[in-house]
Each structure stands twice: as C-alpha cells, then as structure tokens.
Amino acid sequence: LHQAKTFANRFMKFTALLSALAVSVSGKTAGCGQSKPKNGKQTFQNQNHNREFWLHVPSGYDKDTPTPVVVLFHGWGYSGKEWYSGGGWGAVSAAPAADKHNFILVAPTGLDDPKLGGNCDNGGGYCSWNGGGTTGSPGPEGPTCNYNKQKDDLCYRDTCPDGCKDICSWTTCNDDTTMVHALVDKIEDELCVDTSRLYVGGESNGGVMTWQMGTDSRAARFAAFVATIGLPHHGFNFLPSIVPMPIMGIWGSSDRTIPHGNNNAEYTESQDGWYYTTARTITKDWSAAHGCNTKSSPSKYATSFDGDSGLACTAYSEECSTGTAAPVVDCRFTGGHVVKSFVPELMWEFFSLHTRQLEHAQLAYNRSAWGGVTNSSTALH
C-alpha cells in the first residue's frame, strides 16, 4: 500500500511536470527578443555557491528564433573552458560545431574543494561532478573502489559536511542536477530557446554526470544525451526515469581510466582501482527499459563517422516498444581515455535526430518486472 501511494504521488508530480513542460514547448521562452549576452565565462548563484559556466551563442543566432541548447560537462579537474575552447583529456572545442549547426553551447564548471586547490581552467584543479555514485560509496553493491589500490583522500569536505563514508569518494557532494536545471532556467530567461531540443553531454567525470542526468526524475526536460568515456560506478547503473530517453555512449577500446569492460561482465575495474558498470551492461539495461529485445546480439548502428579512429556503433534496436529506433547506442573507438576530434560533430548528429515529444513520454517504473532499478534519490519539483 505504501509503495502504491508513493507511486501515485510521484505519478501526479510527474504529470504536473509534463504539463508545465508542454506549455513551455508550445511557446517562446522569456529570453526571446532580448539582446544576447556576451560569449565567454559567466557566473550565477545557486545553492549558496558562485557557479561558473562558459557560454557560446552561435554566430547565426536570431534573438526571435527558438534555438537548441547543448549542455556539456567537463572531465575531472578541468572547467567548462575545455568544451568552449578545447583542451583537457584531448577534448576539442564544441564552439565550431555550435556555429555550424546553430545551437547554443553551455559548458558549466563543477565545484572543487579549497583544500585541494589548483586552477581548473588550465586543467590543474579538482573541479568535479556529483553523479553515478562518485560520492555514494559504499553503494548497493558495496564499495565503489578497491581499498587495496585507492589510498588518496579525495573527500570534498567543503560540500560533504558530514564527511565521506570511505576512501572511494572523489567528487563534490553538491546537488549538481538541481544546479543544471537552474542554469537551463537562466539560459531560457536570457536567450530564445527551443525547449523541445535541450541536450546533455559530457566526458569522463562529465560523462558519468550525463548518465546521472538521464536517471534524475526531471529528465523529461531533455531530448537526448551523449556520454563520452564515462560510466556510472558499479551499483549505480540506475535506469532512465522516462522513456523514450535516447542516449549514446562513446568509449575507447584501450581506456584504463574508465574502461568499457568485458561485454559479458556486469562491472569492471580501472587501473587505479575504481569499479564501474560496463558499457554493455548499462546500454543493455537501458535498451530493455525501452522494451527492446536484448536477448540477441546488438546490431550495427550507422553514423557519419564510422571508421574514424576505428569507430563502430551498435544498438539493440529490435522490437522496441517505444517505437523509437535504436534509442540507446554503444560506440567504441580505437584509443584510450581521450575525446576524439569528431566527438562534437558525432554528438550533434545524434542529438539532431531527437526532439522531446512530451506527449509520448512514459514513466519507466514498470521495469521492476524485469529487475530494473530507477534512481529515486532525487525528488520531482
């Protein structure tokens, strides 16, 4: 009875959220008609923190025409500058793709910790994202790292006031999903945004954060996700909060920092001792959440970049009950823990295929029938 009431309450809140979003999709945002802000580093206040983000408004932007928005998360130790102008883990600037395809690029910077120091804009800091179990150890499947390998104290005590439960915590404890939604609110207030085409992506720790955003109960706001060289920790492979939830994962075949793992294993261990969900496990589980047939091997998923650095993509695209072809894509390239130069263009190619059709969005709570787990750590607002 308690579970039934809980579900009913969440469903009512979810319905209210969809209704509010549908109104937003049907009209222009408050920023339409306003002069565009300057490109570069911007700041705003959220949760008692001064938050930074890097903004690139495309050269072809029209203040009266609703424009897509792409939010990209940086890797651990860097800032939004890496997506704005390039650098960090071999990442490249997404600004040229924004100009070419006319989307607004928003690259926020995660929080660091005063005791760790460093400069994130030049890649020498500890700016990070809280998601996918980075501060949740021990989790549902136990510790998220190997105690025999991980010895560094990386607890961000500035935002983890109660401390960390074990040595496996390695990012801020801030509620970053809420911050992201506040940031998107700000962008919609200041720029003319197409709210049916809001997208999220990230690399490394930012890729972990991307998976987190898709499991959050407010994910209906976004149309698609792309996670590059990032996976949630073992025990934190939660499922999409709604379906359809299109997502593409991109991983390097020789990545030892966040390895994609064996296709027959549930989790893998990085060279420095962290446990991550394997790429095949999470793409298979997310495909099953979409009602796709995952009993057979995944089929080829074609992109314009097939063969570049050995890129090859697959998807479980058969018998998907959502009616969406290949909503969950698994891409592998030849290389390690780097972002290849074609990634911004590949991201946009995938994003451009998907528009949030709110009337078709469904709650994904029926997954308990096949043993799936949703992320109930965040509340609907």
Coordinates of all heavy atoms in Angstrom, one line a residue, residues 30-123:
A30 N 11.3 33.2 -22.2 CA 11.4 34.6 -21.8 C 12.5 35.4 -22.5 O 12.5 36.6 -22.7 CB 11.5 34.7 -20.3
G31 N 13.5 34.6 -22.9 CA 14.7 35.3 -23.5 C 14.5 35.7 -24.9 O 15.4 36.4 -25.5
C32 N 13.5 35.3 -25.6 CA 13.2 35.6 -27.0 C 13.0 37.2 -27.1 O 12.3 37.8 -26.3 CB 12.0 34.9 -27.6 SG 12.3 33.1 -27.7
G33 N 13.7 37.7 -28.1 CA 13.6 39.2 -28.3 C 14.7 40.0 -27.6 O 14.8 41.2 -27.8
Q34 N 15.4 39.4 -26.6 CA 16.3 40.1 -25.8 C 17.7 40.1 -26.5 O 18.0 39.2 -27.3 CB 16.5 39.5 -24.4 CG 15.2 39.5 -23.6 CD 15.5 39.1 -22.2 OE1 16.6 39.2 -21.6 NE2 14.5 38.5 -21.5
S35 N 18.5 41.1 -26.2 CA 19.9 41.1 -26.7 C 20.7 40.0 -26.1 O 20.5 39.7 -24.9 CB 20.6 42.5 -26.3 OG 19.9 43.6 -26.9
K36 N 21.5 39.3 -26.9 CA 22.2 38.1 -26.4 C 23.3 38.5 -25.5 O 24.0 39.6 -25.7 CB 22.7 37.3 -27.6 CG 23.8 37.9 -28.4 CD 24.3 37.0 -29.4 CE 25.5 37.5 -30.2 NZ 26.0 36.6 -31.3
P37 N 23.6 37.7 -24.5 CA 24.8 38.0 -23.6 C 26.1 37.7 -24.3 O 26.1 37.1 -25.4 CB 24.6 37.0 -22.4 CG 23.8 35.9 -23.0 CD 22.9 36.6 -24.0
K38 N 27.2 38.2 -23.8 CA 28.5 38.0 -24.4 C 28.9 36.6 -24.2 O 28.6 35.9 -23.2 CB 29.5 38.9 -23.7 CG 29.3 40.4 -24.0 CD 30.4 41.2 -23.3 CE 30.2 42.7 -23.6 NZ 31.3 43.5 -23.0
N39 N 29.7 36.1 -25.2 CA 30.3 34.8 -25.1 C 31.4 34.8 -24.0 O 32.0 35.8 -23.8 CB 30.8 34.3 -26.4 CG 29.7 33.9 -27.4 OD1 28.5 33.7 -27.0 ND2 30.0 33.8 -28.6
G40 N 31.7 33.6 -23.5 CA 32.8 33.5 -22.5 C 32.3 33.0 -21.2 O 31.2 32.5 -21.0
K41 N 33.2 33.3 -20.2 CA 32.8 32.8 -18.8 C 31.8 33.7 -18.2 O 31.8 34.9 -18.2 CB 34.1 32.8 -17.9 CG 33.9 32.3 -16.5 CD 35.1 32.4 -15.6 CE 36.2 31.5 -16.0 NZ 37.3 31.5 -15.0
Q42 N 30.8 33.0 -17.6 CA 29.7 33.7 -16.9 C 29.5 33.1 -15.5 O 30.1 32.0 -15.2 CB 28.3 33.5 -17.7 CG 28.4 33.7 -19.2 CD 28.4 35.1 -19.6 OE1 28.0 36.0 -18.8 NE2 28.8 35.4 -20.8
T43 N 28.8 33.8 -14.6 CA 28.6 33.3 -13.3 C 27.1 33.5 -12.9 O 26.4 34.4 -13.4 CB 29.5 34.0 -12.3 OG1 29.2 35.4 -12.3 CG2 31.0 33.9 -12.6
F44 N 26.7 32.7 -11.9 CA 25.4 32.9 -11.3 C 25.4 32.2 -9.9 O 26.3 31.3 -9.7 CB 24.3 32.3 -12.2 CG 24.1 30.8 -12.2 CD1 23.0 30.2 -11.6 CD2 25.1 30.0 -12.8 CE1 22.8 28.8 -11.6 CE2 24.9 28.6 -12.8 CZ 23.8 28.0 -12.2
Q45 N 24.5 32.5 -9.1 CA 24.4 31.9 -7.7 C 23.5 30.8 -7.7 O 22.4 30.8 -8.2 CB 24.0 33.0 -6.7 CG 25.0 34.1 -6.5 CD 26.3 33.6 -5.8 OE1 26.2 32.9 -4.8 NE2 27.4 34.0 -6.3
N46 N 23.9 29.7 -7.0 CA 23.0 28.5 -6.8 C 23.4 27.8 -5.6 O 24.6 27.5 -5.5 CB 23.0 27.6 -8.1 CG 22.1 26.5 -7.9 OD1 22.5 25.3 -7.6 ND2 20.8 26.7 -8.2
Q47 N 22.5 27.5 -4.7 CA 22.8 26.7 -3.5 C 24.0 27.3 -2.7 O 24.9 26.5 -2.3 CB 23.1 25.2 -3.9 CG 21.9 24.5 -4.6 CD 22.3 23.1 -5.1 OE1 22.5 22.2 -4.3 NE2 22.4 22.9 -6.4
N48 N 24.0 28.6 -2.6 CA 25.0 29.3 -1.8 C 26.4 29.2 -2.4 O 27.4 29.4 -1.7 CB 25.0 28.8 -0.4 CG 23.7 29.1 0.3 OD1 23.1 30.2 0.2 ND2 23.2 28.1 1.1
H49 N 26.5 28.9 -3.7 CA 27.8 28.8 -4.4 C 27.7 29.7 -5.6 O 26.7 29.9 -6.3 CB 28.1 27.4 -4.8 CG 28.3 26.4 -3.7 ND1 29.5 26.4 -3.0 CD2 27.5 25.4 -3.2 CE1 29.4 25.4 -2.1 NE2 28.2 24.9 -2.2
N50 N 28.9 30.3 -5.9 CA 29.1 31.1 -7.1 C 29.5 30.1 -8.2 O 30.5 29.5 -8.2 CB 30.2 32.1 -6.9 CG 30.3 33.0 -8.1 OD1 29.3 33.5 -8.6 ND2 31.6 33.3 -8.5
R51 N 28.5 29.9 -9.1 CA 28.8 28.9 -10.2 C 29.2 29.5 -11.5 O 28.7 30.6 -11.8 CB 27.5 28.1 -10.4 CG 27.0 27.3 -9.2 CD 28.0 26.4 -8.6 NE 28.6 25.4 -9.4 CZ 28.3 24.1 -9.4 NH1 27.4 23.7 -8.6 NH2 28.9 23.3 -10.3
E52 N 30.2 28.9 -12.1 CA 30.7 29.4 -13.4 C 30.2 28.5 -14.5 O 30.0 27.3 -14.4 CB 32.2 29.4 -13.4 CG 32.8 30.4 -12.3 CD 34.3 30.3 -12.4 OE1 34.9 29.5 -13.1 OE2 34.9 31.2 -11.7
F53 N 30.0 29.1 -15.7 CA 29.8 28.4 -16.9 C 30.3 29.2 -18.1 O 30.5 30.4 -18.0 CB 28.3 28.1 -17.1 CG 27.4 29.3 -17.3 CD1 27.0 29.7 -18.6 CD2 27.0 30.1 -16.2 CE1 26.2 30.8 -18.8 CE2 26.1 31.2 -16.4 CZ 25.8 31.6 -17.7
W54 N 30.6 28.5 -19.1 CA 31.1 29.1 -20.4 C 30.0 29.0 -21.4 O 29.4 27.9 -21.7 CB 32.4 28.3 -20.9 CG 33.5 28.5 -19.9 CD1 33.8 28.0 -18.7 CD2 34.7 29.4 -20.2 NE1 34.9 28.4 -18.2 CE2 35.5 29.3 -19.0 CE3 35.0 30.3 -21.2 CZ2 36.7 30.0 -18.9 CZ3 36.2 31.0 -21.1 CH2 37.0 30.9 -20.0
L55 N 29.7 30.2 -22.0 CA 28.6 30.3 -22.9 C 29.1 30.6 -24.3 O 30.0 31.5 -24.5 CB 27.7 31.4 -22.5 CG 26.5 31.7 -23.4 CD1 25.5 30.6 -23.5 CD2 25.8 33.0 -22.9
H56 N 28.6 29.9 -25.3 CA 28.9 30.3 -26.7 C 27.6 30.3 -27.5 O 26.9 29.3 -27.7 CB 29.8 29.3 -27.4 CG 30.2 29.6 -28.8 ND1 31.1 30.5 -29.2 CD2 29.6 29.2 -30.0 CE1 31.2 30.6 -30.5 NE2 30.2 29.8 -31.0
V57 N 27.2 31.5 -27.9 CA 26.0 31.7 -28.7 C 26.4 31.7 -30.1 O 27.4 32.4 -30.5 CB 25.3 33.0 -28.3 CG1 24.0 33.2 -29.2 CG2 24.9 33.1 -26.9
P58 N 25.8 30.8 -31.0 CA 26.3 30.7 -32.3 C 26.3 32.0 -33.2 O 25.4 32.8 -32.9 CB 25.4 29.6 -32.9 CG 24.1 29.7 -32.1 CD 24.6 30.0 -30.7
S59 N 27.1 32.1 -34.1 CA 27.2 33.3 -34.9 C 25.9 33.6 -35.7 O 25.6 34.7 -36.0 CB 28.4 33.2 -35.9 OG 28.3 32.0 -36.7
G60 N 25.1 32.5 -36.0 CA 23.9 32.7 -36.8 C 22.7 32.8 -35.9 O 21.5 32.8 -36.4
Y61 N 22.9 33.1 -34.6 CA 21.7 33.2 -33.7 C 20.8 34.3 -34.0 O 21.2 35.4 -34.3 CB 22.3 33.3 -32.2 CG 21.2 33.6 -31.2 CD1 20.4 32.6 -30.7 CD2 21.1 34.9 -30.7 CE1 19.5 32.9 -29.7 CE2 20.1 35.2 -29.7 CZ 19.3 34.2 -29.2 OH 18.4 34.4 -28.2
D62 N 19.5 34.1 -34.0 CA 18.5 35.1 -34.2 C 17.7 35.2 -32.9 O 17.1 34.2 -32.4 CB 17.5 34.6 -35.3 CG 16.4 35.6 -35.6 OD1 16.2 36.5 -34.8 OD2 15.7 35.5 -36.6
K63 N 17.6 36.4 -32.3 CA 17.0 36.6 -31.0 C 15.5 36.3 -31.0 O 14.9 36.1 -29.9 CB 17.3 38.0 -30.5 CG 16.6 39.1 -31.3 CD 16.8 40.5 -30.7 CE 16.1 41.5 -31.5 NZ 16.3 42.9 -30.9
D64 N 14.9 36.1 -32.1 CA 13.5 35.9 -32.2 C 13.2 34.4 -32.6 O 12.0 34.1 -32.7 CB 12.8 36.8 -33.1 CG 12.9 38.3 -32.7 OD1 12.6 38.5 -31.5 OD2 13.3 39.1 -33.5
T65 N 14.2 33.6 -32.9 CA 14.0 32.2 -33.3 C 14.5 31.3 -32.2 O 15.6 31.3 -31.9 CB 14.8 32.0 -34.6 OG1 14.4 32.9 -35.6 CG2 14.6 30.6 -35.1
P66 N 13.6 30.4 -31.7 CA 13.9 29.4 -30.7 C 15.1 28.5 -31.2 O 15.0 28.0 -32.4 CB 12.7 28.6 -30.5 CG 11.6 29.6 -30.9 CD 12.1 30.4 -32.0
T67 N 16.1 28.4 -30.4 CA 17.4 27.8 -30.8 C 17.7 26.6 -29.8 O 17.5 26.7 -28.6 CB 18.5 28.8 -30.8 OG1 18.2 29.9 -31.6 CG2 19.8 28.2 -31.2
P68 N 18.2 25.5 -30.4 CA 18.6 24.3 -29.5 C 19.7 24.7 -28.5 O 20.5 25.6 -28.8 CB 19.0 23.3 -30.5 CG 18.5 23.7 -31.8 CD 18.4 25.2 -31.8
V69 N 19.7 24.0 -27.4 CA 20.8 24.2 -26.4 C 21.5 22.9 -26.1 O 20.8 21.8 -25.9 CB 20.2 24.8 -25.1 CG1 21.2 24.8 -24.0 CG2 19.6 26.2 -25.3
V70 N 22.8 22.9 -26.1 CA 23.6 21.7 -25.7 C 24.4 22.0 -24.5 O 25.2 23.0 -24.5 CB 24.5 21.3 -26.8 CG1 25.4 20.1 -26.4 CG2 23.7 20.9 -28.1
V71 N 24.1 21.3 -23.4 CA 24.9 21.5 -22.1 C 25.9 20.4 -22.1 O 25.6 19.2 -22.1 CB 23.9 21.3 -20.9 CG1 24.7 21.5 -19.6 CG2 22.8 22.4 -21.0
L72 N 27.2 20.8 -21.9 CA 28.3 19.8 -21.9 C 29.1 19.9 -20.6 O 29.5 21.0 -20.2 CB 29.2 20.0 -23.1 CG 28.6 19.8 -24.5 CD1 29.7 20.1 -25.6 CD2 28.1 18.4 -24.6
F73 N 29.4 18.7 -20.0 CA 30.1 18.7 -18.7 C 31.6 18.3 -19.0 O 31.8 17.3 -19.8 CB 29.5 17.6 -17.8 CG 28.0 17.9 -17.5 CD1 27.1 16.9 -17.8 CD2 27.6 19.1 -17.0 CE1 25.8 17.1 -17.5 CE2 26.3 19.3 -16.7 CZ 25.3 18.3 -17.0
H74 N 32.5 19.0 -18.4 CA 33.9 18.7 -18.5 C 34.3 17.5 -17.7 O 33.6 16.9 -16.9 CB 34.7 19.9 -18.0 CG 34.4 20.3 -16.6 ND1 35.0 19.6 -15.5 CD2 33.7 21.2 -16.0 CE1 34.6 20.1 -14.4 NE2 33.8 21.1 -14.7
G75 N 35.6 17.1 -17.9 CA 36.2 16.0 -17.1 C 36.7 16.5 -15.8 O 36.8 17.7 -15.5
W76 N 37.1 15.5 -14.9 CA 37.5 15.8 -13.5 C 38.8 16.7 -13.6 O 39.8 16.4 -14.3 CB 37.8 14.5 -12.8 CG 38.1 14.6 -11.4 CD1 37.3 15.0 -10.4 CD2 39.3 14.2 -10.7 NE1 37.8 14.9 -9.2 CE2 39.1 14.4 -9.3 CE3 40.5 13.7 -11.1 CZ2 40.1 14.2 -8.4 CZ3 41.5 13.4 -10.2 CH2 41.3 13.7 -8.8
G77 N 38.8 17.8 -12.8 CA 40.0 18.6 -12.7 C 40.0 19.8 -13.7 O 40.9 20.6 -13.6
Y78 N 39.1 19.8 -14.6 CA 39.0 20.8 -15.6 C 37.8 21.7 -15.4 O 37.2 21.7 -14.4 CB 39.0 20.2 -17.0 CG 40.3 19.6 -17.4 CD1 40.6 18.2 -17.0 CD2 41.3 20.2 -18.1 CE1 41.8 17.7 -17.3 CE2 42.5 19.6 -18.4 CZ 42.7 18.4 -18.0 OH 43.9 17.8 -18.3
S79 N 37.5 22.6 -16.4 CA 36.4 23.5 -16.3 C 35.6 23.5 -17.6 O 36.0 22.8 -18.6 CB 36.9 24.9 -16.0 OG 37.4 25.5 -17.2
G80 N 34.5 24.2 -17.7 CA 33.8 24.3 -18.9 C 34.6 24.9 -20.1 O 34.2 24.7 -21.2
K81 N 35.7 25.5 -19.8 CA 36.6 26.0 -20.8 C 37.0 25.0 -21.8 O 37.2 25.3 -23.0 CB 37.8 26.7 -20.2 CG 38.7 27.4 -21.2 CD 39.8 28.1 -20.5 CE 40.7 28.8 -21.5 NZ 41.9 29.4 -20.9
E82 N 37.1 23.7 -21.4 CA 37.6 22.7 -22.3 C 36.7 22.5 -23.5 O 37.1 22.2 -24.6 CB 37.9 21.4 -21.6 CG 36.7 20.6 -21.1 CD 37.1 19.2 -20.7 OE1 38.3 18.8 -20.9 OE2 36.2 18.5 -20.2
W83 N 35.3 22.6 -23.2 CA 34.4 22.4 -24.3 C 34.3 23.8 -25.1 O 33.9 23.8 -26.3 CB 33.0 22.0 -23.8 CG 33.0 20.6 -23.4 CD1 32.8 20.1 -22.2 CD2 33.0 19.4 -24.3 NE1 32.7 18.7 -22.2 CE2 32.9 18.3 -23.5 CE3 33.2 19.2 -25.6 CZ2 32.9 17.0 -24.0 CZ3 33.3 18.0 -26.1 CH2 33.1 16.8 -25.3
Y84 N 34.6 24.9 -24.4 CA 34.4 26.2 -25.0 C 35.6 26.4 -26.0 O 35.4 26.9 -27.1 CB 34.4 27.2 -24.0 CG 34.3 28.7 -24.4 CD1 33.1 29.2 -24.8 CD2 35.4 29.5 -24.5 CE1 32.9 30.5 -25.2 CE2 35.3 30.8 -25.0 CZ 34.1 31.3 -25.3 OH 34.0 32.6 -25.8
S85 N 36.8 26.1 -25.6 CA 38.0 26.4 -26.4 C 38.9 25.3 -26.6 O 39.9 25.4 -27.3 CB 38.7 27.6 -25.9 OG 39.2 27.3 -24.5
G86 N 38.6 24.1 -26.1 CA 39.4 22.9 -26.3 C 40.4 22.7 -25.2 O 40.6 23.5 -24.3
G87 N 41.0 21.5 -25.1 CA 42.0 21.2 -24.1 C 41.4 20.3 -23.0 O 40.2 20.3 -22.8
G88 N 42.2 19.5 -22.4 CA 41.8 18.6 -21.3 C 41.4 17.2 -21.8 O 40.4 17.1 -22.6
W89 N 42.2 16.2 -21.5 CA 41.9 14.8 -21.9 C 41.8 14.7 -23.4 O 41.1 13.9 -23.9 CB 40.6 14.3 -21.2 CG 40.7 14.1 -19.8 CD1 39.9 14.8 -18.8 CD2 41.6 13.3 -19.0 NE1 40.3 14.4 -17.6 CE2 41.3 13.5 -17.7 CE3 42.6 12.4 -19.4 CZ2 42.0 12.8 -16.7 CZ3 43.2 11.7 -18.4 CH2 42.9 11.9 -17.0
G90 N 42.4 15.6 -24.1 CA 42.4 15.6 -25.5 C 41.0 16.1 -26.1 O 40.7 15.9 -27.3
A91 N 40.2 16.8 -25.2 CA 38.9 17.3 -25.7 C 39.2 18.4 -26.7 O 40.2 19.0 -26.7 CB 38.1 17.8 -24.5
V92 N 38.1 18.6 -27.5 CA 38.2 19.7 -28.5 C 37.0 20.6 -28.3 O 36.0 20.3 -27.7 CB 38.2 19.1 -30.0 CG1 39.4 18.3 -30.2 CG2 36.9 18.3 -30.2
S93 N 37.2 21.8 -28.8 CA 36.1 22.8 -28.7 C 34.9 22.4 -29.4 O 35.0 21.9 -30.6 CB 36.6 24.2 -29.2 OG 35.5 25.1 -29.2
A94 N 33.7 22.6 -28.8 CA 32.4 22.3 -29.4 C 31.9 23.6 -30.1 O 30.8 23.6 -30.7 CB 31.4 21.8 -28.4
A95 N 32.6 24.7 -29.9 CA 32.1 26.0 -30.5 C 32.0 26.0 -32.0 O 31.0 26.5 -32.5 CB 33.0 27.2 -30.0
P96 N 32.9 25.4 -32.7 CA 32.8 25.3 -34.2 C 31.5 24.6 -34.6 O 30.8 25.0 -35.6 CB 34.1 24.6 -34.7 CG 35.1 25.0 -33.6 CD 34.3 25.0 -32.3
A97 N 31.2 23.5 -33.9 CA 30.0 22.7 -34.2 C 28.8 23.5 -33.9 O 27.8 23.5 -34.6 CB 30.0 21.4 -33.4
A98 N 28.8 24.3 -32.8 CA 27.7 25.2 -32.4 C 27.4 26.2 -33.5 O 26.3 26.5 -33.9 CB 28.0 25.9 -31.1
D99 N 28.5 26.8 -34.1 CA 28.3 27.8 -35.1 C 27.8 27.1 -36.4 O 26.9 27.7 -37.1 CB 29.7 28.5 -35.4 CG 30.0 29.5 -34.4 OD1 29.1 30.0 -33.7 OD2 31.3 29.7 -34.2
K100 N 28.3 26.0 -36.7 CA 27.9 25.2 -37.9 C 26.5 24.8 -37.9 O 25.8 24.9 -38.9 CB 28.8 24.0 -38.1 CG 28.5 23.2 -39.4 CD 29.5 22.0 -39.5 CE 29.2 21.2 -40.7 NZ 30.1 20.0 -40.8
H101 N 26.0 24.3 -36.8 CA 24.7 23.7 -36.7 C 23.7 24.6 -35.9 O 22.5 24.2 -35.7 CB 24.8 22.4 -36.0 CG 25.7 21.4 -36.7 ND1 25.4 20.9 -38.0 CD2 26.9 20.9 -36.4 CE1 26.3 20.1 -38.3 NE2 27.3 20.1 -37.4
N102 N 24.2 25.8 -35.5 CA 23.3 26.8 -34.8 C 22.7 26.3 -33.6 O 21.4 26.3 -33.4 CB 22.2 27.3 -35.8 CG 21.7 28.6 -35.4 OD1 22.4 29.6 -35.0 ND2 20.4 28.8 -35.4
F103 N 23.5 25.8 -32.6 CA 23.0 25.5 -31.3 C 23.8 26.4 -30.2 O 24.9 26.7 -30.5 CB 23.0 24.1 -30.9 CG 24.4 23.4 -30.9 CD1 25.2 23.5 -29.8 CD2 24.9 22.7 -32.0 CE1 26.5 22.9 -29.7 CE2 26.1 22.1 -31.9 CZ 26.9 22.2 -30.8
I104 N 23.1 26.6 -29.1 CA 23.7 27.4 -28.0 C 24.5 26.4 -27.2 O 24.0 25.4 -26.7 CB 22.7 28.1 -27.2 CG1 21.9 29.1 -28.0 CG2 23.3 28.7 -25.9 CD1 20.6 29.6 -27.3
L105 N 25.8 26.7 -27.0 CA 26.7 25.8 -26.2 C 26.8 26.4 -24.8 O 27.1 27.5 -24.6 CB 28.1 25.7 -26.8 CG 29.2 25.1 -26.0 CD1 28.9 23.6 -25.7 CD2 30.5 25.3 -26.6
V106 N 26.5 25.5 -23.8 CA 26.6 25.9 -22.4 C 27.5 24.9 -21.7 O 27.1 23.7 -21.7 CB 25.2 25.9 -21.7 CG1 25.3 26.4 -20.2 CG2 24.2 26.9 -22.4
A107 N 28.6 25.3 -21.1 CA 29.6 24.4 -20.5 C 29.8 24.8 -19.1 O 30.7 25.6 -18.8 CB 30.8 24.4 -21.3
P108 N 29.1 24.3 -18.1 CA 29.3 24.7 -16.7 C 30.5 24.1 -16.2 O 31.1 23.2 -16.7 CB 28.0 24.1 -16.0 CG 27.6 23.0 -16.9 CD 28.0 23.3 -18.3
T109 N 31.0 24.7 -15.0 CA 32.1 24.2 -14.3 C 31.7 23.6 -13.0 O 31.0 24.2 -12.2 CB 33.1 25.3 -14.1 OG1 33.6 25.8 -15.3 CG2 34.3 24.9 -13.3
G110 N 32.2 22.4 -12.7 CA 31.9 21.8 -11.4 C 32.6 22.4 -10.3 O 33.5 23.2 -10.4
L111 N 32.2 22.0 -9.0 CA 32.8 22.6 -7.8 C 34.1 21.9 -7.5 O 34.2 20.7 -7.7 CB 31.9 22.5 -6.7 CG 30.6 23.4 -6.8 CD1 29.7 23.2 -5.6 CD2 31.0 24.9 -6.9
D112 N 35.1 22.6 -6.9 CA 36.3 22.0 -6.4 C 36.2 22.0 -4.8 O 35.1 22.1 -4.3 CB 37.5 22.7 -6.9 CG 37.5 24.2 -6.5 OD1 36.6 24.6 -5.7 OD2 38.5 24.9 -6.9
D113 N 37.3 21.8 -4.2 CA 37.4 21.9 -2.7 C 38.6 22.7 -2.4 O 39.7 22.5 -2.9 CB 37.5 20.5 -2.1 CG 37.4 20.5 -0.6 OD1 38.4 20.7 0.1 OD2 36.3 20.2 -0.1
P114 N 38.5 23.7 -1.5 CA 39.6 24.6 -1.1 C 40.9 23.9 -0.7 O 42.0 24.3 -1.1 CB 39.0 25.4 0.0 CG 37.5 25.4 -0.2 CD 37.2 24.0 -0.7
K115 N 40.7 22.7 0.0 CA 42.0 22.1 0.4 C 42.7 21.4 -0.7 O 43.9 21.1 -0.6 CB 41.6 21.0 1.5 CG 41.0 19.7 1.0 CD 40.8 18.7 2.1 CE 40.2 17.4 1.6 NZ 41.1 16.7 0.7
L116 N 42.1 21.2 -1.8 CA 42.7 20.5 -3.0 C 43.4 21.5 -3.9 O 44.4 21.2 -4.5 CB 41.7 19.7 -3.7 CG 41.1 18.5 -2.9 CD1 40.0 17.8 -3.8 CD2 42.1 17.5 -2.5
G117 N 42.8 22.7 -4.0 CA 43.5 23.8 -4.8 C 43.5 23.5 -6.3 O 42.9 22.7 -6.8
G118 N 44.4 24.3 -6.9 CA 44.6 24.2 -8.4 C 43.7 25.1 -9.2 O 42.8 25.8 -8.7
N119 N 44.0 25.2 -10.5 CA 43.3 26.0 -11.4 C 42.6 25.1 -12.5 O 43.3 24.5 -13.3 CB 44.3 27.0 -12.1 CG 43.6 28.0 -13.0 OD1 42.5 27.7 -13.6 ND2 44.2 29.1 -13.3
C120 N 41.3 25.1 -12.4 CA 40.6 24.2 -13.3 C 40.6 24.6 -14.8 O 40.5 23.8 -15.7 CB 39.1 24.0 -12.8 SG 39.0 23.1 -11.3
D121 N 40.7 26.0 -15.0 CA 40.7 26.5 -16.4 C 41.9 26.0 -17.2 O 41.8 25.9 -18.4 CB 40.6 28.0 -16.4 CG 39.2 28.6 -16.1 OD1 38.3 27.8 -16.2 OD2 39.1 29.8 -15.8
N122 N 43.0 25.7 -16.5 CA 44.2 25.2 -17.2 C 44.4 23.7 -16.9 O 45.4 23.1 -17.3 CB 45.4 26.0 -16.8 CG 45.8 25.8 -15.3 OD1 45.3 24.9 -14.7 ND2 46.7 26.7 -14.9
G123 N 43.3 23.0 -16.3 CA 43.4 21.6 -16.2 C 44.2 21.1 -14.9 O 44.4 19.9 -14.7

